Amino acid sequence: AFALAGAATAQDGGQAALRLLDLVRLQCQTRYGQHACVLLDGVVYALLPVVGAADHAADRHLRIAEDIVRRAEEALRISVRSGLGHAVPGVAGVRDSRADADLVLRVLGAGQVADAGQVRARTSLLVLGEFLAERRDQAAGPWQDVLTHDAEHGTEYARTLICWLDAGCDAGRAAERLVVHPNTCRYRLRKVQRQLGIDLDDPDQRLVLWVQLRTLAGLRG
């Protein structure tokens, strides 16, 4: 799947997408002598054959996608990103492969290319975050108390927590990311436990807190 990084107007985007479709068709025909390409909702999809071993085919598909993205930038002066779905054994699985590719596109930036396996952690968090956001009971949790406390008291508990959790619960590494003394980081963590009643010694609570801060609050260490 190939998607434009953005266009000034809808008309510009439509014209750019058609030029991208022509480019993808040409590249697929040059390499395979046949092609199955289509433009749907502003995204160009190419159905590529698996020739030889699956892992070798996957590498080749990535190289093709990277080449197309580069050619689009150089020849068409448009910025494109590309996501590849899993290889499937037959036409019946194409719908699932397209869904994979669409999901990959959502976590990529301009000029980036990746297949579903390379960004699985990011797409899994994306799907999990959307699930949590749709379920009020699952979205509730101490992460909201942390953000509220920060907003009302000017503390940096949420930022401290996500840096600490991203650092594998290592106060020293978290302090480096926060640009504070390790004792300051430890002090904040103790305050979080005492004031907000969050048990940071419980691995389940740490896991859920990290997931909610990452996916619902959009924080990263």
Side-chain angles (χ1 to χ4, degrees):
F2 301 87
L4 302 174
T9 65
Q11 182 177 2
D12 291 341
Q15 293 174 348
L18 289 173
R19 295 200 301 272
L20 177 60
L21 174 62
D22 289 339
L23 174 62
V24 175
R25 280 176 170 167
L26 176 61
Q27 294 303 312
C28 291
Q29 186 170 13
T30 299
R31 288 170 168 84
Y32 296 110
Q34 57 184 348
H35 59 77
C37 303
V38 64
L39 174 64
L40 295 173
D41 298 325
V43 179
V44 176
Y45 296 96
L47 187 61
L48 305 179
V50 175
V51 179
D55 54 345
H56 292 161
D59 289 340
R60 186 184 185 194
H61 293 166
L62 273 173
R63 290 196 300 271
I64 291 172
E66 290 168 349
D67 185 48
I68 290 174
V69 168
R70 183 173 60 255
R71 289 173 183 269
E73 179 70 34
E74 295 174 351
L76 304 182
R77 295 291 187 268
I78 55 177
S79 187
V80 177
R81 63 189 189 278
S82 177
L84 288 79
H86 288 99
V88 292
V91 176
V94 169
R95 183 190 298 270
D96 292 336
S97 185
R98 176 192 171 185
D100 290 338
D102 285 336
L103 194 57
V104 173
L105 282 181
R106 295 179 59 190
V107 301
L108 297 181
Q112 294 184 326
V113 179
D115 63 31
Q118 292 175 316
V119 293
R120 183 174 304 283
R122 294 164 62 186
T123 56
S124 294
L125 283 176
L126 175 65
V127 172
L128 181 57
E130 292 178 342
F131 169 78
L132 293 176
E134 293 172 356
R135 295 282 302 273
R136 184 176 59 84
D137 57 328
Q138 298 298 322
W143 71 280
Q144 295 171 317
D145 299 331
V146 174
L147 294 181
T148 299
H149 191 281
D150 283 351
E152 294 178 350
H153 302 281
T155 51
E156 293 191 28
Y157 291 166
R159 186 162 168 259
T160 299
L161 282 167
I162 198 65
C163 286
W164 180 66
L165 292 166
D166 277 5
C169 303
D170 185 320
R173 289 171 53 200
E176 291 179 2
R177 299 182 181 190
L178 293 164
V179 195
V180 299
H181 193 279
N183 287 340
T184 300
C185 181
R186 297 186 184 96
Y187 172 78
R188 291 177 181 176
L189 294 172
R190 289 196 299 270
K191 297 288 283 186
V192 166
Q193 296 188 85
R194 293 172 184 171
Q195 295 182 350
L196 303 180
I198 301 174
D199 184 3
L200 296 179
D201 294 325
D202 183 338
D204 291 340
Q205 284 205 34
R206 291 199 305 268
L207 173 61
V208 173
L209 180 62
W210 179 82
V211 168
Q212 292 178 326
L213 286 173
R214 280 292 304 271
T215 62
L216 299 178
L219 299 180
R220 295 194 66 177

